Amino acid sequence: ETGVTQTPRHLVMGMTNKKSLKCEQHLGHNAMYWYKQSAKKPLELMFVYSLEERVENNSVPSRFSPECPNSSHLFLHLHTLQPEDSALYLCASSQGAGGLSEQYFGPGTRLTVT
Amino acid sequence: ELKVEQNPLFLSMQEGKNYTIYCNYSTTSDRLYWYRQDPGKSLESLFVLLSNGAVKQEGRLMASLDTKARLSTLHITAAVHDLSATYFCAVDMGNNAGNMLTFGGGTRLMVKP
């Protein structure tokens, strides 16, 4: 595997379900990010992890819970979502800590909440 | 709050023509990125602009950054169909801990034969 991978690629879940999105980066980066891309809004930054510590949470509802167990893996745990949470969720990574660099994006998870 | 505005939001152009996409932003920053997104695909990095006056070119695309005007442009020269995609600019307000990107709304480009 190369670059940034995400699983699953598609997910349909009911409002009472609990599911998790997984992201893995194979680039040796030390910062990882979750974004939400919905049809009616620009790409929104949700969470930033640098050296496995959360450094930014852009007022995201608590029904989204991130986890970063190591610098290569990032999860987004989902529970009691709403239909308006249906969107494309993109993971990205960069060599963030200690220097600024471009972000590399994964293919995304298309989430539908029914 | 940082705001990033792109225009136009939609652009239909003929092959062989030239055009410019504009990206305006509201807060001082000297780091700006351009990305391309094909339908159903993820974002592909095109350009990284890290200083005032930065200009980068790749094939038929050229990007520039004017930090005093808070403006970046993406110029398309002699467009071809393969350039059809959505283009995003993103302004970075991050620090050594990581990037904090705020994206523009995107410009959907359609190049017609």
Side-chain angles (χ1 to χ4, degrees), chain A residues 93-107:
Chain A
S93 70
S94 73
Q95 192 58 38
L100 296 168
S101 68
E102 65 196 290
Q103 293 186 8
Y104 292 82
F105 284 80

Side-chain angles (χ1 to χ4, degrees), chain B residues 5-96:
Chain B
E5 294 185 353
Q6 284 181 240
N7 68 83
L9 297 182
F10 180 76
L11 175 58
S12 179
M13 57 191 298
Q14 295 293 127
E15 279 193 330
K17 297 293 186 181
N18 304 333
Y19 208 83
T20 300
I21 299 171
Y22 297 89
C23 175
N24 292 273
Y25 54 98
S26 61
T27 304
T28 301
S29 172
D30 58 3
R31 298 187 298 275
L32 189 140
Y33 306 83
W34 283 95
Y35 288 88
R36 168 181 172 150
Q37 187 176 35
D38 291 290
K41 300 288 182 65
S42 189
L43 276 74
E44 172 192 353
S45 178
L46 293 175
F47 298 108
V48 179
L49 303 169
L50 298 177
S51 61
N52 184 40
V55 177
K56 292 199 174 178
Q57 183 164 4
E58 181 71 34
R60 300 175 188 274
L61 300 178
M62 183 173 71
S64 66
L65 177 62
D66 181 343
T67 59
K68 294 181 180 178
R70 298 176 188 171
L71 170 69
S72 180
T73 61
L74 180 65
H75 186 73
I76 303 157
T77 301
V80 294
H81 180 68
D82 285 351
L83 291 179
S84 298
T86 299
Y87 293 85
F88 294 93
C89 64
V91 176
D92 189 356
M93 299 298 290
N95 50 39
N96 284 344

Side-chain angles (χ1 to χ4, degrees), chain A residues 1-101:
Chain A
E1 292 277 16
T2 58
V4 181
T5 58
Q6 290 186 242
T7 54
R9 296 292 308 277
H10 300 272
L11 177 62
V12 179
M13 59 186 289
M15 290 190 286
T16 58
N17 292 159
K18 289 184 180 181
K19 297 285 185 183
S20 295
L21 310 184
K22 178 183 176 183
C23 175
E24 183 172 1
Q25 60 95 2
H26 310 268
L27 300 168
H29 289 162
N30 54 29
M32 296 186 77
Y33 312 80
W34 280 116
Y35 288 88
K36 175 182 179 183
Q37 186 177 32
S38 52
K40 298 181 179 180
K41 289 185 177 182
L43 263 158
E44 300 172 78
L45 177 64
M46 299 175 72
F47 299 103
V48 179
Y49 275 84
S50 178
L51 299 174
E52 300 155 42
E53 289 193 12
R54 188 192 301 182
V55 296
E56 181 75 13
N57 173 358
N58 278 349
S59 303
V60 178
S62 59
R63 58 186 183 268
F64 296 91
S65 175
E67 178 190 1
C68 188
N70 56 60
S71 60
S72 298
H73 293 86
L74 184 65
F75 295 89
L76 187 62
H77 304 298
L78 315 171
H79 65 96
T80 59
L81 294 190
Q82 304 299 311
E84 61 264 28
D85 297 323
S86 298
L88 180 68
Y89 288 85
L90 292 164
C91 173
S93 70
S94 73
Q95 192 58 38
L100 296 168
S101 68

